[in-house]
Amino acid sequence: MALTSTEVHLARRPNGMPVPEDFVFVDRQLADPGEGEVLVQNLFISVDPYMRGRMNEAYGLNEAMYGSAIGRVVASRNDGFGEGDLVSSNLGWREGFVSDGNGLDRLPETSLPVTVHMGPLGMTGRTAYDGLVGAAELVDGETVFVSGAAGAVGSIAGQIARLRGCRTIGSAGSPEKVAFCREIGFDHAFNYRDGDLLSHLREGAPDGLDVYFDNVGGDHLEAALAHMRLLGRIAICGGISRYNDTEPSPGPRNLLVAIGLRLTLRGFVVGNSPELREPFEEEMTSWLESGQIVWRETIREGIRNAPDAFIGLFRGENTGKMIVKLT
């Protein structure tokens, strides 16, 4: 049952925007699983903006790119997994692998597409939930601004806030993405390439912002700071506008407003709030099954298109979750 697996390795550290030459493809022949092992064939792999920061030093060169994947067990000599089981892993951009089972999670059965475990019911949705409920300590009925609102995390964060009775404002980078934001229930959505950010925020939230969910950083963070209300909270999820900078960028010029307004700026990563895992899974499953939360995917096909899919994140080519389908 041996498989040949193509892997995507980081060949060199990107200088600014990643380019295809930063990656290399390596073929490996996978052995049949030994005692206690499983052979997994990946079906989908995830490409995510956070990977760019890790390319600077965290990822090893000439090693398979780390990241989440969903696969199927095709052969097993491990009592914990059976042939046909769907599993999630973090072993990255590869078509298959042999594992002793550590780090593999069997996915529960659901009537939803399996990729939901990579999107709203996986790391994407958990990030949105942890950021709003945990880092931002969201209160029902507040006014919430989400940047990158048509992206994987932003689109889910906006819908969670809506379901909590909040007024939601979202920014996106094209008329089509703005239309998607409105389709999923944002009260006010705007194209950040068209006009002044602060003017858009004043239009969408005349009385100011209670919460800002930051996926972008830079000018978005500066505009949000200028429009926060007293005791507002900013959950800092990402800063995609700065990930490819070759020199450090100065921070927001108006950070001192946080003093008088007694703002809270809190960075977080998914899993910072383990106590939220169970309520997240319960609420998100209910919302998805009832159709109260919808999600969009942008699919690229084939392992050799993984680098281009990743680079496409920084070109704004995705709406919702960017996924590479392998089979």
mmCIF file of all heavy atoms in Angstrom, residues 171-211:
data_model
loop_
_atom_site.group_PDB
_atom_site.id
_atom_site.type_symbol
_atom_site.label_atom_id
_atom_site.label_comp_id
_atom_site.label_asym_id
_atom_site.label_seq_id
_atom_site.Cartn_x
_atom_site.Cartn_y
_atom_site.Cartn_z
ATOM 1 N N SER A 171 -14.224 45.778 6.655
ATOM 2 C CA SER A 171 -13.479 46.310 5.515
ATOM 3 C C SER A 171 -12.995 45.159 4.648
ATOM 4 O O SER A 171 -12.677 44.073 5.142
ATOM 5 C CB SER A 171 -12.272 47.138 5.981
ATOM 6 O OG SER A 171 -11.292 46.307 6.592
ATOM 7 N N ALA A 172 -12.957 45.395 3.335
ATOM 8 C CA ALA A 172 -12.483 44.389 2.388
ATOM 9 C C ALA A 172 -11.848 45.121 1.207
ATOM 10 O O ALA A 172 -11.952 46.350 1.097
ATOM 11 C CB ALA A 172 -13.626 43.496 1.932
ATOM 12 N N GLY A 173 -11.217 44.360 0.301
ATOM 13 C CA GLY A 173 -10.378 44.994 -0.708
ATOM 14 C C GLY A 173 -10.916 45.055 -2.115
ATOM 15 O O GLY A 173 -10.181 45.398 -3.034
ATOM 16 N N SER A 174 -12.195 44.738 -2.329
ATOM 17 C CA SER A 174 -12.764 44.822 -3.667
ATOM 18 C C SER A 174 -14.279 44.940 -3.552
ATOM 19 O O SER A 174 -14.866 44.548 -2.532
ATOM 20 C CB SER A 174 -12.407 43.585 -4.499
ATOM 21 O OG SER A 174 -13.107 42.450 -4.032
ATOM 22 N N PRO A 175 -14.937 45.440 -4.606
ATOM 23 C CA PRO A 175 -16.408 45.510 -4.569
ATOM 24 C C PRO A 175 -17.047 44.138 -4.375
ATOM 25 O O PRO A 175 -18.059 44.013 -3.688
ATOM 26 C CB PRO A 175 -16.764 46.112 -5.934
ATOM 27 C CG PRO A 175 -15.548 46.889 -6.335
ATOM 28 C CD PRO A 175 -14.384 46.108 -5.803
ATOM 29 N N GLU A 176 -16.451 43.093 -4.978
ATOM 30 C CA GLU A 176 -17.000 41.749 -4.841
ATOM 31 C C GLU A 176 -16.915 41.268 -3.391
ATOM 32 O O GLU A 176 -17.841 40.634 -2.873
ATOM 33 C CB GLU A 176 -16.262 40.782 -5.762
ATOM 34 C CG GLU A 176 -16.440 41.038 -7.245
ATOM 35 C CD GLU A 176 -15.603 42.213 -7.762
ATOM 36 O OE1 GLU A 176 -14.668 42.659 -7.053
ATOM 37 O OE2 GLU A 176 -15.897 42.696 -8.879
ATOM 38 N N LYS A 177 -15.810 41.571 -2.735
ATOM 39 C CA LYS A 177 -15.661 41.149 -1.338
ATOM 40 C C LYS A 177 -16.567 41.956 -0.415
ATOM 41 O O LYS A 177 -17.092 41.424 0.571
ATOM 42 C CB LYS A 177 -14.202 41.274 -0.912
ATOM 43 C CG LYS A 177 -13.290 40.262 -1.583
ATOM 44 C CD LYS A 177 -11.859 40.348 -1.064
ATOM 45 C CE LYS A 177 -10.996 39.283 -1.702
ATOM 46 N NZ LYS A 177 -9.612 39.280 -1.180
ATOM 47 N N VAL A 178 -16.762 43.225 -0.733
ATOM 48 C CA VAL A 178 -17.706 44.031 0.043
ATOM 49 C C VAL A 178 -19.119 43.450 -0.089
ATOM 50 O O VAL A 178 -19.864 43.350 0.894
ATOM 51 C CB VAL A 178 -17.667 45.504 -0.423
ATOM 52 C CG1 VAL A 178 -18.834 46.293 0.179
ATOM 53 C CG2 VAL A 178 -16.344 46.148 -0.028
ATOM 54 N N ALA A 179 -19.472 43.032 -1.295
ATOM 55 C CA ALA A 179 -20.787 42.424 -1.506
ATOM 56 C C ALA A 179 -20.920 41.142 -0.686
ATOM 57 O O ALA A 179 -21.991 40.860 -0.122
ATOM 58 C CB ALA A 179 -20.993 42.128 -2.989
ATOM 59 N N PHE A 180 -19.847 40.356 -0.603
ATOM 60 C CA PHE A 180 -19.879 39.135 0.205
ATOM 61 C C PHE A 180 -20.087 39.473 1.679
ATOM 62 O O PHE A 180 -20.867 38.809 2.375
ATOM 63 C CB PHE A 180 -18.574 38.358 0.015
ATOM 64 C CG PHE A 180 -18.407 37.194 0.953
ATOM 65 C CD1 PHE A 180 -19.291 36.128 0.926
ATOM 66 C CD2 PHE A 180 -17.365 37.173 1.868
ATOM 67 C CE1 PHE A 180 -19.133 35.052 1.789
ATOM 68 C CE2 PHE A 180 -17.198 36.112 2.735
ATOM 69 C CZ PHE A 180 -18.087 35.045 2.697
ATOM 70 N N CYS A 181 -19.418 40.514 2.159
ATOM 71 C CA CYS A 181 -19.596 40.929 3.557
ATOM 72 C C CYS A 181 -21.049 41.294 3.842
ATOM 73 O O CYS A 181 -21.606 40.929 4.887
ATOM 74 C CB CYS A 181 -18.690 42.111 3.883
ATOM 75 S SG CYS A 181 -16.922 41.723 3.926
ATOM 76 N N ARG A 182 -21.655 42.002 2.934
ATOM 77 C CA ARG A 182 -23.060 42.357 3.114
ATOM 78 C C ARG A 182 -23.950 41.122 3.055
ATOM 79 O O ARG A 182 -24.930 40.999 3.809
ATOM 80 C CB ARG A 182 -23.472 43.367 2.047
ATOM 81 C CG ARG A 182 -22.792 44.734 2.236
ATOM 82 C CD ARG A 182 -23.021 45.669 1.081
ATOM 83 N NE ARG A 182 -22.409 46.979 1.326
ATOM 84 C CZ ARG A 182 -22.030 47.817 0.371
ATOM 85 N NH1 ARG A 182 -22.221 47.482 -0.911
ATOM 86 N NH2 ARG A 182 -21.467 48.980 0.676
ATOM 87 N N GLU A 183 -23.591 40.178 2.191
ATOM 88 C CA GLU A 183 -24.360 38.941 2.051
ATOM 89 C C GLU A 183 -24.383 38.147 3.358
ATOM 90 O O GLU A 183 -25.404 37.527 3.694
ATOM 91 C CB GLU A 183 -23.740 38.108 0.932
ATOM 92 C CG GLU A 183 -24.361 36.751 0.705
ATOM 93 C CD GLU A 183 -23.583 35.945 -0.317
ATOM 94 O OE1 GLU A 183 -23.022 36.542 -1.258
ATOM 95 O OE2 GLU A 183 -23.518 34.708 -0.167
ATOM 96 N N ILE A 184 -23.279 38.166 4.105
ATOM 97 C CA ILE A 184 -23.221 37.376 5.341
ATOM 98 C C ILE A 184 -23.629 38.187 6.565
ATOM 99 O O ILE A 184 -23.474 37.716 7.691
ATOM 100 C CB ILE A 184 -21.828 36.756 5.545
ATOM 101 C CG1 ILE A 184 -20.743 37.833 5.679
ATOM 102 C CG2 ILE A 184 -21.508 35.783 4.423
ATOM 103 C CD1 ILE A 184 -19.353 37.264 5.959
ATOM 104 N N GLY A 185 -24.134 39.399 6.344
ATOM 105 C CA GLY A 185 -24.804 40.095 7.431
ATOM 106 C C GLY A 185 -24.097 41.262 8.076
ATOM 107 O O GLY A 185 -24.586 41.781 9.086
ATOM 108 N N PHE A 186 -22.951 41.701 7.536
ATOM 109 C CA PHE A 186 -22.346 42.913 8.092
ATOM 110 C C PHE A 186 -23.317 44.080 7.903
ATOM 111 O O PHE A 186 -23.893 44.271 6.832
ATOM 112 C CB PHE A 186 -21.025 43.235 7.394
ATOM 113 C CG PHE A 186 -19.845 42.467 7.942
ATOM 114 C CD1 PHE A 186 -19.531 41.202 7.472
ATOM 115 C CD2 PHE A 186 -19.046 43.027 8.929
ATOM 116 C CE1 PHE A 186 -18.453 40.497 7.967
ATOM 117 C CE2 PHE A 186 -17.957 42.334 9.436
ATOM 118 C CZ PHE A 186 -17.657 41.055 8.963
ATOM 119 N N ASP A 187 -23.464 44.878 8.953
ATOM 120 C CA ASP A 187 -24.365 46.032 8.860
ATOM 121 C C ASP A 187 -23.810 47.109 7.946
ATOM 122 O O ASP A 187 -24.572 47.831 7.288
ATOM 123 C CB ASP A 187 -24.595 46.620 10.261
ATOM 124 C CG ASP A 187 -25.333 45.657 11.167
ATOM 125 O OD1 ASP A 187 -26.518 45.400 10.900
ATOM 126 O OD2 ASP A 187 -24.721 45.151 12.128
ATOM 127 N N HIS A 188 -22.496 47.223 7.916
ATOM 128 C CA HIS A 188 -21.850 48.222 7.060
ATOM 129 C C HIS A 188 -20.531 47.638 6.586
ATOM 130 O O HIS A 188 -19.728 47.157 7.393
ATOM 131 C CB HIS A 188 -21.596 49.520 7.842
ATOM 132 C CG HIS A 188 -20.952 50.601 7.025
ATOM 133 N ND1 HIS A 188 -21.656 51.373 6.139
ATOM 134 C CD2 HIS A 188 -19.660 51.034 6.955
ATOM 135 C CE1 HIS A 188 -20.844 52.253 5.570
ATOM 136 N NE2 HIS A 188 -19.626 52.059 6.044
ATOM 137 N N ALA A 189 -20.310 47.633 5.282
ATOM 138 C CA ALA A 189 -19.069 47.115 4.717
ATOM 139 C C ALA A 189 -18.549 48.104 3.696
ATOM 140 O O ALA A 189 -19.327 48.758 2.991
ATOM 141 C CB ALA A 189 -19.299 45.748 4.073
ATOM 142 N N PHE A 190 -17.236 48.198 3.597
ATOM 143 C CA PHE A 190 -16.651 49.183 2.683
ATOM 144 C C PHE A 190 -15.359 48.656 2.088
ATOM 145 O O PHE A 190 -14.693 47.770 2.641
ATOM 146 C CB PHE A 190 -16.407 50.516 3.394
ATOM 147 C CG PHE A 190 -15.422 50.453 4.535
ATOM 148 C CD1 PHE A 190 -14.056 50.639 4.317
ATOM 149 C CD2 PHE A 190 -15.855 50.227 5.837
ATOM 150 C CE1 PHE A 190 -13.147 50.596 5.374
ATOM 151 C CE2 PHE A 190 -14.955 50.175 6.895
ATOM 152 C CZ PHE A 190 -13.600 50.359 6.664
ATOM 153 N N ASN A 191 -15.006 49.237 0.932
ATOM 154 C CA ASN A 191 -13.760 48.933 0.237
ATOM 155 C C ASN A 191 -12.678 49.871 0.760
ATOM 156 O O ASN A 191 -12.742 51.078 0.548
ATOM 157 C CB ASN A 191 -13.956 49.114 -1.269
ATOM 158 C CG ASN A 191 -12.740 48.688 -2.081
ATOM 159 O OD1 ASN A 191 -11.639 48.514 -1.539
ATOM 160 N ND2 ASN A 191 -12.917 48.544 -3.379
ATOM 161 N N TYR A 192 -11.693 49.316 1.453
ATOM 162 C CA TYR A 192 -10.669 50.166 2.064
ATOM 163 C C TYR A 192 -9.784 50.845 1.025
ATOM 164 O O TYR A 192 -9.048 51.795 1.361
ATOM 165 C CB TYR A 192 -9.812 49.368 3.051
ATOM 166 C CG TYR A 192 -8.963 48.270 2.447
ATOM 167 C CD1 TYR A 192 -7.737 48.553 1.837
ATOM 168 C CD2 TYR A 192 -9.372 46.949 2.495
ATOM 169 C CE1 TYR A 192 -6.968 47.545 1.297
ATOM 170 C CE2 TYR A 192 -8.602 45.939 1.960
ATOM 171 C CZ TYR A 192 -7.393 46.239 1.353
ATOM 172 O OH TYR A 192 -6.620 45.244 0.817
ATOM 173 N N ARG A 193 -9.857 50.408 -0.240
ATOM 174 C CA ARG A 193 -9.082 51.061 -1.294
ATOM 175 C C ARG A 193 -9.789 52.299 -1.830
ATOM 176 O O ARG A 193 -9.238 53.026 -2.654
ATOM 177 C CB ARG A 193 -8.835 50.083 -2.453
ATOM 178 C CG ARG A 193 -8.142 48.782 -2.050
ATOM 179 C CD ARG A 193 -7.951 47.876 -3.272
ATOM 180 N NE ARG A 193 -7.600 46.524 -2.897
ATOM 181 C CZ ARG A 193 -6.357 46.105 -2.628
ATOM 182 N NH1 ARG A 193 -5.356 46.976 -2.691
ATOM 183 N NH2 ARG A 193 -6.133 44.838 -2.292
ATOM 184 N N ASP A 194 -11.016 52.514 -1.379
ATOM 185 C CA ASP A 194 -11.853 53.587 -1.907
ATOM 186 C C ASP A 194 -12.183 54.583 -0.802
ATOM 187 O O ASP A 194 -13.125 54.397 -0.028
ATOM 188 C CB ASP A 194 -13.140 52.985 -2.487
ATOM 189 C CG ASP A 194 -14.066 54.041 -3.081
ATOM 190 O OD1 ASP A 194 -13.597 55.168 -3.338
ATOM 191 O OD2 ASP A 194 -15.259 53.725 -3.277
ATOM 192 N N GLY A 195 -11.394 55.642 -0.702
ATOM 193 C CA GLY A 195 -11.685 56.678 0.279
ATOM 194 C C GLY A 195 -10.902 56.518 1.565
ATOM 195 O O GLY A 195 -10.033 55.657 1.711
ATOM 196 N N ASP A 196 -11.243 57.363 2.516
ATOM 197 C CA ASP A 196 -10.528 57.440 3.793
ATOM 198 C C ASP A 196 -11.096 56.448 4.797
ATOM 199 O O ASP A 196 -12.312 56.376 5.006
ATOM 200 C CB ASP A 196 -10.655 58.878 4.331
ATOM 201 C CG ASP A 196 -10.051 59.029 5.695
ATOM 202 O OD1 ASP A 196 -8.822 58.908 5.823
ATOM 203 O OD2 ASP A 196 -10.826 59.264 6.650
ATOM 204 N N LEU A 197 -10.231 55.677 5.428
ATOM 205 C CA LEU A 197 -10.675 54.652 6.367
ATOM 206 C C LEU A 197 -11.499 55.232 7.509
ATOM 207 O O LEU A 197 -12.563 54.706 7.853
ATOM 208 C CB LEU A 197 -9.460 53.912 6.942
ATOM 209 C CG LEU A 197 -8.832 52.820 6.086
ATOM 210 C CD1 LEU A 197 -7.499 52.387 6.688
ATOM 211 C CD2 LEU A 197 -9.769 51.626 5.989
ATOM 212 N N LEU A 198 -11.005 56.302 8.105
ATOM 213 C CA LEU A 198 -11.704 56.875 9.245
ATOM 214 C C LEU A 198 -13.082 57.390 8.847
ATOM 215 O O LEU A 198 -14.056 57.241 9.601
ATOM 216 C CB LEU A 198 -10.866 57.985 9.876
ATOM 217 C CG LEU A 198 -11.416 58.604 11.161
ATOM 218 C CD1 LEU A 198 -11.693 57.537 12.213
ATOM 219 C CD2 LEU A 198 -10.429 59.647 11.708
ATOM 220 N N SER A 199 -13.210 57.942 7.660
ATOM 221 C CA SER A 199 -14.526 58.403 7.192
ATOM 222 C C SER A 199 -15.491 57.233 7.045
ATOM 223 O O SER A 199 -16.674 57.339 7.398
ATOM 224 C CB SER A 199 -14.380 59.125 5.847
ATOM 225 O OG SER A 199 -13.615 60.305 5.996
ATOM 226 N N HIS A 200 -14.994 56.117 6.544
ATOM 227 C CA HIS A 200 -15.839 54.921 6.435
ATOM 228 C C HIS A 200 -16.305 54.459 7.818
ATOM 229 O O HIS A 200 -17.466 54.077 8.002
ATOM 230 C CB HIS A 200 -15.075 53.797 5.756
ATOM 231 C CG HIS A 200 -14.945 53.937 4.271
ATOM 232 N ND1 HIS A 200 -16.035 53.968 3.425
ATOM 233 C CD2 HIS A 200 -13.844 54.034 3.474
ATOM 234 C CE1 HIS A 200 -15.625 54.078 2.174
ATOM 235 N NE2 HIS A 200 -14.302 54.118 2.174
ATOM 236 N N LEU A 201 -15.403 54.483 8.792
ATOM 237 C CA LEU A 201 -15.771 54.048 10.140
ATOM 238 C C LEU A 201 -16.791 54.994 10.763
ATOM 239 O O LEU A 201 -17.729 54.553 11.439
ATOM 240 C CB LEU A 201 -14.526 53.953 11.021
ATOM 241 C CG LEU A 201 -13.531 52.846 10.666
ATOM 242 C CD1 LEU A 201 -12.334 52.886 11.617
ATOM 243 C CD2 LEU A 201 -14.196 51.475 10.721
ATOM 244 N N ARG A 202 -16.614 56.271 10.551
ATOM 245 C CA ARG A 202 -17.571 57.244 11.100
ATOM 246 C C ARG A 202 -18.947 57.066 10.479
ATOM 247 O O ARG A 202 -19.974 57.251 11.140
ATOM 248 C CB ARG A 202 -17.049 58.657 10.866
ATOM 249 C CG ARG A 202 -15.887 59.028 11.782
ATOM 250 C CD ARG A 202 -15.242 60.332 11.377
ATOM 251 N NE ARG A 202 -14.253 60.765 12.363
ATOM 252 C CZ ARG A 202 -13.293 61.655 12.111
ATOM 253 N NH1 ARG A 202 -13.204 62.217 10.896
ATOM 254 N NH2 ARG A 202 -12.425 61.987 13.046
ATOM 255 N N GLU A 203 -18.967 56.681 9.209
ATOM 256 C CA GLU A 203 -20.251 56.448 8.552
ATOM 257 C C GLU A 203 -20.914 55.185 9.094
ATOM 258 O O GLU A 203 -22.128 55.156 9.353
ATOM 259 C CB GLU A 203 -20.050 56.319 7.039
ATOM 260 C CG GLU A 203 -21.329 56.047 6.271
ATOM 261 C CD GLU A 203 -21.099 55.858 4.779
ATOM 262 O OE1 GLU A 203 -19.954 56.032 4.314
ATOM 263 O OE2 GLU A 203 -22.082 55.528 4.080
ATOM 264 N N GLY A 204 -20.144 54.140 9.262
ATOM 265 C CA GLY A 204 -20.705 52.861 9.695
ATOM 266 C C GLY A 204 -20.999 52.795 11.182
ATOM 267 O O GLY A 204 -21.878 52.038 11.611
ATOM 268 N N ALA A 205 -20.255 53.566 11.963
ATOM 269 C CA ALA A 205 -20.421 53.539 13.428
ATOM 270 C C ALA A 205 -20.332 54.961 13.956
ATOM 271 O O ALA A 205 -19.313 55.362 14.526
ATOM 272 C CB ALA A 205 -19.339 52.654 14.059
ATOM 273 N N PRO A 206 -21.390 55.749 13.791
ATOM 274 C CA PRO A 206 -21.343 57.165 14.188
ATOM 275 C C PRO A 206 -20.992 57.378 15.652
ATOM 276 O O PRO A 206 -20.391 58.408 16.001
ATOM 277 C CB PRO A 206 -22.760 57.662 13.878
ATOM 278 C CG PRO A 206 -23.301 56.703 12.872
ATOM 279 C CD PRO A 206 -22.687 55.386 13.198
ATOM 280 N N ASP A 207 -21.317 56.433 16.510
ATOM 281 C CA ASP A 207 -21.071 56.591 17.951
ATOM 282 C C ASP A 207 -19.770 55.949 18.408
ATOM 283 O O ASP A 207 -19.502 55.869 19.605
ATOM 284 C CB ASP A 207 -22.237 56.008 18.752
ATOM 285 C CG ASP A 207 -23.538 56.746 18.478
ATOM 286 O OD1 ASP A 207 -23.492 57.976 18.278
ATOM 287 O OD2 ASP A 207 -24.595 56.089 18.422
ATOM 288 N N GLY A 208 -18.963 55.478 17.467
ATOM 289 C CA GLY A 208 -17.676 54.899 17.831
ATOM 290 C C GLY A 208 -17.704 53.382 17.915
ATOM 291 O O GLY A 208 -18.742 52.740 17.757
ATOM 292 N N LEU A 209 -16.522 52.811 18.184
ATOM 293 C CA LEU A 209 -16.332 51.361 18.213
ATOM 294 C C LEU A 209 -16.076 50.878 19.633
ATOM 295 O O LEU A 209 -15.308 51.492 20.372
ATOM 296 C CB LEU A 209 -15.134 50.962 17.345
ATOM 297 C CG LEU A 209 -15.142 51.416 15.884
ATOM 298 C CD1 LEU A 209 -13.770 51.151 15.255
ATOM 299 C CD2 LEU A 209 -16.236 50.698 15.108
ATOM 300 N N ASP A 210 -16.702 49.771 19.983
ATOM 301 C CA ASP A 210 -16.399 49.120 21.253
ATOM 302 C C ASP A 210 -15.284 48.093 21.103
ATOM 303 O O ASP A 210 -14.448 47.925 21.996
ATOM 304 C CB ASP A 210 -17.644 48.408 21.803
ATOM 305 C CG ASP A 210 -18.783 49.370 22.072
ATOM 306 O OD1 ASP A 210 -18.607 50.248 22.949
ATOM 307 O OD2 ASP A 210 -19.831 49.258 21.408
ATOM 308 N N VAL A 211 -15.276 47.409 19.950
ATOM 309 C CA VAL A 211 -14.318 46.330 19.712
ATOM 310 C C VAL A 211 -13.781 46.445 18.292
ATOM 311 O O VAL A 211 -14.540 46.698 17.349
ATOM 312 C CB VAL A 211 -14.977 44.949 19.911
ATOM 313 C CG1 VAL A 211 -14.067 43.827 19.403
ATOM 314 C CG2 VAL A 211 -15.327 44.722 21.372
#
